[in-house]
Amino acid sequence: MRTRVREGDRDAFAELFDAYARSVYNHAFRLTWDWSVAEDVVSLTFLEAWRLRGRVDAEGGSLRPWLLGIATNVVRNTRRAARRHAAALSRLTAEEALPDIADEVAGRLDDAASLAAVQQALQTLRRPEREVLALCVWSGLDYASAARALRVPVGTVRSRLSRARRKLAAAAERREPRPDRGQVRDGRVVAARPIQEGNR
């Protein structure tokens, strides 16, 4: 597959898309929390993969980490473009405010309250920490694959993930437990602990 991708085999890219488009989409959504932007990221990721196909090593395993690394960079570029666009719009005199699509996105979800809590907790993380969390915990990459995807040392991945976990645990502790959730111990409600990552 790597050789075929390097050589620009269109059938190989079709197979690559079929195999990993959903994974790229999920990763993009976890970084952006926007369904529409995630769809754009998928398209841009595979266009960029086609452009960068010559850089694929002939030897190696799955191309998923490579694609997720490209998607991470696409999200960064998309955010920069969105900030520039927002700055340009703020300089214009708008007759009416642009509609906020957050309600539309939340309306598609079964548990908007849980999503809001997760988003609030994730806002405590810096961008590099969110990226490592998305790759290692949500996308299931091991430390070495995440390091290759982000082009950083494995130790950097470990330290960023450790910081992200500490911050999320602290955010979860600050959140007041709801009386209808959690475990009751000695008459007190104990908030559920965060899900622990498997063997990494």
Side-chain angles (χ1 to χ4, degrees):
M1 173 63 83
R2 285 175 169 265
T3 301
R4 292 169 63 203
V5 166
R6 280 175 61 90
E7 292 173 353
D9 184 328
R10 293 179 184 273
D11 291 335
F13 262 86
E15 292 172 27
L16 201 65
F17 183 87
D18 290 342
Y20 298 120
R22 174 58 59 182
S23 182
V24 170
Y25 175 81
N26 289 338
H27 178 64
F29 176 72
R30 289 166 184 148
L31 292 178
T32 64
W33 292 98
D34 188 310
W35 303 108
S36 178
V37 172
E39 289 172 359
D40 292 342
V41 169
V42 171
S43 300
L44 292 170
T45 295
F46 282 93
L47 284 172
E48 189 69 359
W50 176 261
R51 190 179 71 81
L52 299 174
R53 65 190 181 276
R55 297 185 188 177
V56 173
D57 293 330
E59 299 295 325
S62 167
L63 285 169
R64 184 169 171 257
W66 177 64
L67 289 170
L68 294 181
I70 293 173
T72 301
N73 287 330
V74 168
V75 169
R76 290 176 189 164
N77 294 338
T78 301
R79 284 184 173 147
R80 278 195 290 270
R83 283 196 297 269
R84 287 194 298 267
H85 181 70
L89 286 178
S90 69
R91 292 192 292 270
L92 299 174
T93 305
E95 294 183 1
E96 61 180 83
L98 295 173
D100 184 0
I101 64 167
D103 290 338
E104 178 187 340
V105 172
R108 298 179 190 175
L109 303 171
D110 293 333
D111 192 351
S114 293
L115 178 64
V118 170
Q119 285 180 298
Q120 186 176 6
L122 289 174
Q123 292 305 315
T124 66
L125 304 181
R126 293 171 53 240
R127 177 184 51 77
E129 295 163 351
R130 283 196 305 271
E131 291 172 354
V132 167
L133 185 77
L135 288 170
C136 291
V137 177
W138 289 326
S139 294
L141 295 188
D142 59 28
Y143 294 133
S145 297
R148 282 195 305 275
L150 295 172
R151 296 181 183 171
V152 297
V154 172
T156 301
V157 170
R158 288 179 183 274
S159 62
R160 287 178 183 175
L161 186 58
S162 177
R163 280 196 304 273
R165 286 177 169 156
R166 281 198 308 271
K167 288 181 180 179
L168 289 176
E173 287 177 12
R174 284 194 301 271
R175 204 169 155 238
E176 189 173 335
R178 291 170 51 177
D180 60 336
R181 297 203 176 177
Q183 303 169 343
V184 177
R185 186 181 301 153
D186 299 329
R188 294 178 297 135
V189 176
V190 180
R193 294 172 181 243
I195 297 173
Q196 296 298 312
E197 183 182 1
N199 47 8
R200 292 258 178 269

